[in-house]
Amino acid sequence: MSSTLNDLLATLDNPAKLHAAMVHLPIAVAFLAPLFLLAAGVLPGRRRMGSFLAVIAYALLAIATLVTIQSGESAYDAIGDVPAAVGTMAHDHGELAERVWTWGLVGAVIAALGLLKEKKKVAIAGVWAGFAFGLFTAGWTAIAAHQGGVLVYEHGVGTPNPVLAQDAGTPDTPADPRAVHFVDHVFPILEDRCMGCHRAGRAESGLDLTSMDAILRGADHGPVLKPGYPEASMMMTVIRGNHPEIDRMPKGKRGPLTDEQTEAIRLWIEQGAVWVD
Ligand code: HEC
């Protein structure tokens, strides 16, 4: 079997990937429906043809959304433990997406008015109402899809668990975005701004920040990192300078981290604090 076919079969087997592949169909048809109705409204003699294509696009939208929701639900069931905020976001994403199939059906009925031969005024009103409704539906679909994208690309939902995978990917296996984020944006900060004082040879306050095992052992004041929960992690509290007893980190003349660096570390912890050696 060719490797492309193997890849395809692997995709069908993985609800998260299937969902990611499926989701482009509703987005495409949601944008086509109002375009067809616009054509029906402005092109002389093309009203019924444009309306007909729009009915098909809306019907496809309803069907494609149903299939996409199915794969999305399986993907959601498969994500396992995530921080509560991410779970809520996935839930909201599902609620938004579920509406899209109703919008597809309603749109198909409105666009069907444009097919009327006798009642011309009703037909023209149907075309423009269907067009306006199409803009609304396309916007709604785009927002639901964007939210799904944020879940995958910013929160790592649906991508393989890197704590188990522990590698940053090779050219033929797409890198896990969380591992890439650690290697490109988090490790350099820890190395440059923290490890000078927090490593095996010189562990200020009993804290060694040079490996995940060492970090999870904690320090004099207890645990420093709770993967998935930046707001409950002492590391974030000291980086922001909010700890009642501990100085703001990094200590020393170079001053605190920038907002950007602080956010990079916060996001890393929120996504599960993946460590790649
Ligand atoms: C110049 C040395 C220095 C640097 C650089 C530094 N620290 Fe510290 N760190 C200390 C010292 C000293 C303490 C002891 C507590 C204090 O001084 O308030 C400490 C304490 C801590 C603690 C509290 C541990 C405990 O339980 O007592 C944490 C967490 C911490 N540092 C994290 C970091 C992080 C994260 C960075 C990099 C962003 C960093 N530190 C950079 C010197 C440093």
Side-chain angles (χ1 to χ4, degrees), residues 193-194 197-198 204-205 207 209 219-222 224 234-235 238-239 246-247 249-251 257:
R193 302 301 313 275
C194 312
C197 301
H198 297 288
E204 294 289 358
S205 213
L207 178 60
L209 290 175
D220 292 357
H221 286 81
V224 297
M234 196 216 295
M235 194 178 213
V238 301
I239 286 175
I246 304 167
D247 287 343
M249 292 294 142
K251 252 176 115 103
L257 299 185

Side-chain angles (χ1 to χ4, degrees), residues 24 36 88 96 109 119 124 138 144 158-159 167 215 223 242 253 261:
H24 296 98
F36 287 143
T88 310
L96 275 189
V109 171
K119 300 177 175 150
I124 292 173
T159 49
D167 83 33
I215 294 175
N242 290 338
K253 289 192 209 70
Q261 291 172 318

